[in-house]
Amino acid sequence: MHYFQTKFLEEAEQFVAALDSKALRKVFYNIDLAEQTNDPRLFKKLHNEIWEFRTQYNGNQIRLLAFWDKTDGKETLVLATHGFIKKVDKVPSNEIQRAGRIRERYFEAKQKKNNNEK
């Protein structure tokens, strides 16, 4: 059973496309596991509406920031905004702010699309 489904927005797709194949497999494996287990070691809330997928591979901490889209009456969609490799324990605040801006643009575009369909 999957608790949620993950979709990658453009910057997240570009980030994972640049990873080597073994790192990429580990990231996708951890995301799939997080979708099934809701394990906070793999997927946890960072700040307000921003969450992070966590993968450790080859001494690197690979992070994909994400947010939930619950506007369609389903609480099962998570959108990955972008990714980065971090060397320190704390997620830099500029990365959290960047994810927040991507989240805002996503919901603004979705609102416009919904308004145009009416």
Side-chain angles (χ1 to χ4, degrees):
M1 179 189 143
H2 282 70
Y3 288 98
F4 59 88
Q5 177 187 3
T6 306
K7 288 193 176 174
F8 290 77
L9 297 177
E10 187 178 348
E11 288 184 48
E13 281 185 5
Q14 291 168 355
F15 173 76
V16 296
L19 294 173
D20 75 56
S21 62
K22 287 183 179 177
L24 183 62
R25 270 201 300 277
K26 177 97 187 250
V27 167
F28 283 144
Y29 174 81
N30 280 359
I31 289 173
D32 189 52
L33 201 58
E35 289 174 347
Q36 296 175 53
T37 62
N38 234 349
D39 185 341
R41 290 171 302 181
L42 301 172
F43 184 61
K44 74 172 205 171
K45 189 171 189 173
L46 281 180
H47 181 72
N48 290 343
E49 301 297 322
I50 305 303
W51 292 63
E52 73 172 340
F53 286 105
R54 306 160 57 99
T55 300
Q56 281 197 281
Y57 175 74
N58 220 9
N60 289 320
Q61 296 184 47
I62 302 169
R63 297 294 186 258
L64 277 166
L65 299 193
F67 61 90
W68 292 84
D69 179 354
K70 301 177 181 183
T71 58
D72 293 332
K74 299 181 208 137
E75 297 191 1
T76 57
L77 184 60
V78 171
L79 292 114
T81 59
H82 70 289
F84 57 96
I85 295 173
K86 68 181 193 131
K87 306 284 184 207
V88 295
D89 285 341
K90 197 170 191 281
V91 174
S93 61
N94 64 321
E95 297 291 357
I96 295 171
Q97 291 165 354
R98 181 175 169 195
R101 287 191 301 273
I102 293 169
R103 179 182 178 274
E104 285 172 19
R105 285 197 307 267
Y106 168 84
F107 282 115
E108 285 169 7
K110 187 172 184 175
Q111 185 69 43
K112 269 186 199 158
K113 183 177 175 240
N114 289 344
N115 287 343
N116 289 339
E117 290 174 356
K118 290 180 183 171

